[in-house]
Amino acid sequence: MKVLVIGGGAREHALCRSLSLDPEVTALHCAPGNAGIAEVAELHPVDALDGAAVARLATELEAGLVVVGPEAPLVAGVADAVRDVGIPCFGPSKEAAELEGSKAFAKDVMAAANVPTARSYVCTTPEQIDEALDAFGTPYVVKDDGLAAGKGVVVTADLAKAREHALACERVVIEEFLDGPEVSLFAITDGETVLPLQPAQDFKRALDNDEGPNTGGMGAYSPLPWAEPKLVDEVLETVLQPTVDELRRRGTPFSGLLYAGLAITGRGVRVIEFNARFGDPETQVVLARLKTPLAGVLLAAAEGTLVDLPPLTWRDDAAVTVVVASHNYPDTPRTGDPIEGLTEIAAQDAPHAYVLHAGTRRTDDGTVVSAGGRVLSVTATGKDLTQARERAYTAVNRITLAGSQHRTDIASEAAKA
């Protein structure tokens, strides 16, 4: 099978790494990719938001499967364009991707499917905003209705900050605060059958102890030793399957990766948000633990044959990923700084620790430099979270990137469980 992956972040590097290890994959391509992905896939320049260009490239490559990684191309309808030329595509249609593209749409689907979530108001005027903020009180949870690259949510006790963020959004969802630990659970679906993966937990805040601004994610780990054993089955029954069934009932079946961001509250599991693609950085740890070859699972979802697949198999190992971010992330990050230490990690820490590239590029002289806010995801496995953490941070400490930042507490509490 020839596979084309669309995107250029650490999530796509994790997907490409897993696909490159799959014996069924005879050729692996990525567009546009990055400096790390270039080591496992052939790169092609393409505008990932241009469905016609992506479909043309897939046709030229004679791809047997296209995997769309990021949310923006999915919301733009790229998966539809690929399917229109007769090539199987892993990723939801433009209509179904609205589950991530519009938080108001997601709330409507959840209400119809009786999926447990936070009470909320959709606001478009200053008066509605003030009423909603007053109704729920502190801490205020304010979400941009549209795509915001993981940074559209403000949770704050400061009314002025909450109102400022709300007024900056064209349409905003204001909702009650959900207490309790957060969990990310992915599920692969073909629109009918839903195949949950292993849960993970990510770290949204920029600084240790969950302080600082929200980011796209500063690290993740899996498994969750503190979670109830029945959690996955419960979420499948009360959240994932009802959502997939409701979208199919509406005539917009969801085929691809359904991501549920969950809060484990005192009143039970509640959905914080849905995404329409693999999460970043959770993908890095979930795929590190997946033993089943990836390509056949994604193709079965694209072709509607998930029901025929045997159960997924998982490694017993734990996995931890730590994000190394640019100076000044998540504001305006500095780019163009040389990255050193990558060859040392490959030589001394592999196969238990490795680097997945996010915002990187290779200069004409071969130097790998930073090219985004989140630059690298350093991922490691071990017999338990303690060993995986040690291996991940040993590798992180080999990296030199001027002004870079990373959290030092990823999975630290869970490792004690």
Side-chain angles (χ1 to χ4, degrees):
M1 191 194 319
K2 295 180 180 178
V3 182
L4 169 62
V5 176
I6 302 301
R11 164 188 46 231
E12 287 76 36
H13 194 176
L15 287 164
C16 284
R17 179 181 182 272
S18 290
L19 290 166
S20 73
L21 299 172
D22 187 333
E24 294 296 314
V25 176
T26 54
L28 182 58
H29 303 268
C30 186
N34 62 39
I37 295 173
E39 297 174 11
V40 295
E42 183 179 344
L43 302 191
H44 303 270
V46 77
D47 178 356
L49 297 176
D50 186 338
V54 171
R56 193 161 51 246
L57 175 62
T59 302
E60 290 169 2
L61 295 173
E62 298 179 338
L65 173 67
V66 174
V67 179
V68 182
E71 60 273 25
L74 291 167
V75 172
V78 169
D80 303 272
V82 172
R83 280 191 280 267
D84 285 346
V85 297
I87 297 174
C89 185
F90 182 82
S93 67
K94 178 178 181 176
E95 290 81 3
E98 277 298 287
L99 202 62
E100 177 168 4
S102 167
K103 291 178 175 59
F105 175 76
K107 288 289 188 183
D108 185 60
V109 170
M110 283 188 270
N114 201 27
V115 169
T117 186
R119 292 179 298 121
S120 64
Y121 293 106
V122 179
C123 307
T124 55
T125 68
E127 293 76 20
Q128 290 173 341
I129 287 168
D130 289 339
E131 285 177 23
L133 291 171
D134 184 58
F136 288 128
T138 184
Y140 304 103
V141 181
V142 184
K143 299 181 175 182
D144 191 332
D145 180 52
L147 294 180
K151 298 188 284 288
V153 179
V154 166
V155 181
T156 180
D158 187 328
L159 177 59
K161 277 186 182 175
R163 193 169 188 274
E164 179 186 19
H165 181 64
L167 291 170
C169 303
E170 192 171 320
R171 188 159 74 149
V172 67
V173 175
I174 296 173
E175 63 184 39
E176 67 174 325
F177 176 75
L178 296 175
D179 64 319
E182 294 185 12
V183 173
S184 300
L185 184 61
F186 302 162
I188 292 171
T189 178
D190 56 11
E192 291 193 32
T193 301
V194 181
L195 199 63
L197 305 185
Q198 291 290 304
Q201 186 174 57
D202 77 332
F203 294 75
K204 288 283 188 230
R205 299 285 186 169
L207 307 176
D208 284 3
N209 303 313
D210 289 328
E211 295 179 358
N214 259 353
T215 71
M218 295 298 291
Y221 69 92
S222 180
L224 312 182
W226 49 268
E228 292 278 349
K230 64 178 183 182
L231 176 65
V232 173
D233 290 340
E234 180 186 341
V235 175
L236 174 62
E237 181 182 337
T238 62
V239 174
L240 299 169
Q241 191 71 57
T243 300
V244 169
D245 291 345
E246 171 61 19
L247 285 166
R248 188 175 69 253
R249 188 191 67 76
R250 293 177 177 220
T252 55
F254 188 104
S255 169
L257 195 290
L258 178 57
Y259 165 125
L262 309 164
I264 313 301
T265 76
R267 295 173 292 145
V269 173
R270 296 288 185 273
V271 175
I272 300 170
E273 65 174 353
F274 282 126
N275 290 336
R277 39 71 193 181
F278 280 100
D280 183 346
E282 300 98 323
T283 302
Q284 289 85 303
V285 292
V286 172
L287 291 186
R289 299 186 57 225
L290 179 64
K291 190 185 276 188
T292 300
L294 183 62
V297 182
L298 303 187
L299 182 63
E303 294 187 330
T305 58
L306 271 182
V307 71
D308 300 327
L309 278 190
L312 298 178
T313 56
W314 297 89
R315 297 182 177 90
D316 292 331
D317 286 357
V320 171
T321 194
V322 179
V323 170
V324 177
S326 293
H327 175 72
N328 206 38
Y329 178 76
D331 292 325
T332 306
R334 191 174 76 204
T335 60
D337 291 312
I339 303 166
E340 298 177 356
L342 300 177
T343 53
E344 287 80 1
I345 294 172
Q348 299 183 49
D349 301 307
H352 301 298
Y354 48 89
V355 179
L356 297 169
H357 292 231
T360 69
R361 64 179 179 86
R362 196 175 290 275
T363 62
D364 292 340
D365 67 1
T367 304
V368 176
V369 300
S370 60
R374 291 186 295 170
V375 182
L376 305 168
S377 286
V378 180
T379 304
T381 56
K383 68 179 187 295
D384 53 27
L385 286 174
T386 298
Q387 186 178 54
R389 283 191 83 247
E390 289 169 355
R391 287 172 170 172
Y393 280 107
T394 295
V396 166
N397 290 333
R398 299 191 200 278
I399 292 169
T400 303
L401 172 61
S404 67
Q405 53 179 316
H406 66 270
R407 284 184 57 158
T408 65
D409 62 347
I410 303 300
S412 59
E413 287 302 312
K416 301 171 187 173

